[in-house]
Amino acid sequence: MSLFLFLTIVQAIVGAALVGAILMQQSEGGGLGVGGSPSGLMSARGAANFMTRATGILAVLFVVLSIALAAIAVETTQGSEIDTSLDRTIPAAAPDPLAPAVPAATPAPAGEAAPAADADPLAGSAE
């Protein structure tokens, strides 16, 4: 775990340096570019070459560190068993105690035939 922590700190430092290198580059509108004398390392041409190379190297280092951290994270968290603590199977449905009671069938008044329980109330309506 200490290697993972060390690489995470190095990743943060490289990321901050990468952001700084990108912000220091001179854009077409001036930006935050570093001005200077027309000759030497930090001249317009020399600074552009140095900053371009530094940005490229930092970007490659950032990607390599990201891949290494991902590989270490997978290696340390890989389990050999299936964890069933988050099993979300639904148990058999129990009767709802708050459901309204089904009313008992009332007897038909004298002289009328009681409707059949299994008779289709819509039978013959499609004609």
Side-chain angles (χ1 to χ4, degrees):
M1 191 60 166
S2 62
L3 177 65
F4 185 79
L5 183 62
F6 173 73
L7 288 180
T8 303
I9 292 171
V10 172
Q11 172 95 3
I13 293 170
V14 169
L18 183 61
V19 168
I22 290 171
L23 288 178
M24 285 176 36
Q25 290 183 12
Q26 190 169 8
S27 64
E28 291 181 13
L32 297 176
V34 177
S37 65
S39 64
L41 174 65
M42 294 310 274
S43 67
R45 184 81 172 163
N49 287 339
F50 173 74
M51 294 307 292
T52 302
R53 286 184 183 158
T55 304
I57 291 170
L58 287 171
V60 168
L61 189 59
F62 186 83
V63 170
V64 168
L65 281 171
S66 297
I67 292 171
L69 283 170
I72 291 172
V74 166
E75 190 175 293
T76 58
T77 60
Q78 188 175 21
S80 60
E81 303 180 357
I82 296 176
D83 185 14
T84 60
S85 64
L86 297 176
D87 189 14
R88 294 187 180 188
T89 56
I90 300 173
D96 187 9
L98 301 177
V102 178
T106 57
E112 292 182 21
D118 60 341
D120 186 11
L122 298 176
S125 63
E127 295 173 5

